[in-house]
């Protein structure tokens, strides 16, 4: 019996050890699972928090970009509007200047002595006989008086110069200069008959060479009747073409500026007397 009891105690001890081992293993697994679960939960929580922060930062960045783009668009719109208003105002000034300049041309034409029109019904050979013509001699003291010649050039028109540009302005100035010079030469013709042949005058030809093309100069020289009206129409045509470019918003190239400078130089070189060469 003692042996049976001993075996019973031994079996119980073994069973207890096994149960204790199983209990320890189960407890360890449970703790491990809890730790893993706690770690996973904490990781998931931090991951969600990080995702939420990233989303918030992304939304804020997108909002900042949209705000910056909207601000830039508003700036460009304001700048464009300001530029457009400035361009509109500038264009209005240019159109007003063109209108005033052409009005000055019309006024100038109306002020020219009628003798210029009378000369256009003569050929160049008939010009030479004018010095002995009683009617022409009377014009020298009436229609071609110094007082009338002094009033030919329109006053107060130079303020349009910045808006029409140098080329257009010099065409207008040349138009005035050549016709006034012809008028002055005819005024002095009773004193020096050579002035009647104004188309041979060196100063006039230098000025015409600056504003007319070689082909136009050939056409001018070949014109027997209506030299003055031919010249008027050709210069007015060039002036109108320049005005049309201003109205259409086109710009003048370097060649036009070069020609404007040349015209200015030729005007500056005109002699003070009106003696034909």
């Amino acid at each position: 019996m003692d042996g049976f009891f001993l075996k019973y105690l031994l079996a119980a001890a073994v069973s207890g050890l096994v149960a204790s081992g199983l209990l320890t293993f189960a407890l360890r697994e449970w703790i491990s699972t809890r730790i893993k679960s706690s770690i996973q939960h904490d990781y998931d929580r931090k991951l969600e928090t990080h995702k939420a922060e990233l989303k918030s930062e992304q939304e804020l960045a997108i909002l900042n970009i949209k705000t910056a783009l909207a601000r830039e668009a508003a700036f460009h719109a304001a700048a464009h509007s300001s530029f457009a208003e400035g361009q509109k105002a500038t264009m209005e000034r240019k159109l007003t200047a063109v209108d005033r300049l052409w009005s000055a041309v019309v006024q100038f034409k109306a002020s020219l002595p009628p003798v210029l029109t009378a000369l256009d019904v003569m050929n160049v050979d008939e010009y030479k006989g004018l010095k002995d013509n009683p009617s022409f001699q009377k014009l020298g003291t009436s229609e071609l008086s110094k007082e009338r010649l002094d009033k030919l050039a329109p006053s107060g028109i130079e303020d349009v110069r910045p808006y029409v540009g140098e080329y257009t302005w010099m065409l207008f100035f040349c138009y005035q200069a050549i016709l006034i010079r012809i008028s002055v030469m005819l005024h002095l013709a009773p004193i020096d008959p050579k002035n009647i042949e104004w188309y041979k005058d060196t100063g006039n030809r230098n000025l015409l060479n600056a504003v007319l093309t070689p082909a136009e100069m050939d056409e001018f020289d070949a014109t027997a009747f209506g030299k003055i009206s031919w010249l008027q129409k050709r210069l007015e045509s060039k002036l109108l073409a320049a005005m049309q470019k201003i109205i259409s918003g086109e710009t003048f190239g370097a060649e036009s500026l070069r020609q404007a400078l040349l015209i200015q130089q030729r005007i500056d070189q005109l002699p003070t007397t009106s003696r034909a060469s």
Side-chain angles (χ1 to χ4, degrees):
M1 182 161 179
D2 289 337
F4 175 79
F5 181 72
L6 183 60
K7 288 180 181 180
Y8 174 79
L9 288 176
L10 183 59
V14 171
S15 297
L17 288 173
V18 171
S20 177
L22 289 174
L23 181 60
T24 301
F25 176 77
L27 182 61
R28 186 170 60 247
E29 286 298 315
W30 179 79
I31 292 172
S32 176
T33 301
R34 288 296 302 272
I35 292 173
K36 288 179 180 180
S37 177
S38 176
I39 293 173
Q40 183 65 43
H41 176 73
D42 187 54
Y43 174 78
D44 291 341
R45 181 179 58 79
K46 289 182 178 180
L47 181 61
E48 289 301 320
T49 301
H50 184 60
K51 285 181 179 180
E53 290 175 351
L54 286 178
K55 183 178 180 182
S56 178
E57 290 175 0
Q58 183 181 27
E59 289 176 347
L60 181 60
I62 292 173
L63 179 61
N64 289 336
I65 292 173
K66 287 182 177 179
T67 302
L69 289 175
R71 189 183 301 114
E72 186 175 357
F75 172 78
H76 285 297
H80 177 74
S81 176
S82 176
F83 177 77
E85 286 299 318
Q87 287 293 94
K88 180 181 177 182
T90 300
M91 195 60 200
E92 287 176 352
R93 292 190 183 98
K94 286 184 176 182
L95 293 176
T96 300
V98 167
D99 183 63
R100 286 187 58 199
L101 191 64
W102 185 248
S103 295
V105 171
V106 174
Q107 176 188 339
F108 176 72
K109 287 174 63 178
S111 301
L112 288 172
V115 68
L116 298 184
T117 304
L119 287 178
D120 270 0
V121 299
M122 303 178 184
N123 60 42
V124 292
D125 292 329
E126 291 173 326
Y127 280 16
K128 299 175 184 178
L130 282 176
K131 63 182 179 61
D132 301 320
N133 188 302
S135 298
F136 177 76
Q137 291 174 355
K138 290 180 180 179
L139 291 176
T141 57
S142 57
E143 291 183 353
L144 293 178
S145 65
K146 184 179 183 301
E147 291 74 17
R148 179 162 186 171
L149 292 174
D150 290 340
K151 295 178 180 179
L152 279 179
S155 60
I157 190 64
E158 193 165 359
D159 56 349
V160 306
R161 188 173 182 174
Y163 302 104
V164 299
E166 281 303 287
Y167 177 68
T168 307
W169 175 256
M170 291 314 303
L171 283 178
F172 171 72
F173 200 83
C174 176
Y175 177 78
Q176 287 188 104
I178 189 66
L179 290 171
I180 291 176
R181 184 171 173 79
I182 293 171
S183 299
V184 171
M185 291 182 71
L186 293 177
H187 174 66
L188 296 176
I191 301 173
D192 188 349
K194 289 183 180 180
N195 283 319
I196 294 174
E197 297 179 282
W198 59 269
Y199 49 90
K200 293 182 179 179
D201 176 70
T202 300
N204 286 342
R205 293 194 68 83
N206 286 341
L207 188 53
L208 291 178
N209 276 313
V211 72
L212 299 179
T213 66
E216 288 172 332
M217 281 299 297
D218 290 340
E219 186 178 346
F220 170 74
D221 289 333
T223 301
F225 288 93
K227 271 187 176 296
I228 296 176
S229 61
W230 182 96
L231 186 57
Q232 277 186 275
K233 291 176 182 177
R234 189 55 54 97
L235 293 179
E236 287 171 11
S237 177
K238 289 179 178 290
L239 191 53
L240 285 170
M243 290 178 173
Q244 185 58 45
K245 290 191 71 170
I246 297 172
I247 293 171
S248 62
E250 296 180 59
T251 56
F252 294 96
E255 179 59 26
S256 295
L257 295 178
R258 185 201 65 78
Q259 189 176 8
L261 179 60
L262 180 60
I263 294 171
Q264 179 66 70
Q265 291 172 345
R266 294 295 170 81
I267 290 175
D268 293 340
Q269 292 168 1
L270 286 175
T272 54
T273 59
S274 297
R275 182 181 178 85
S277 59

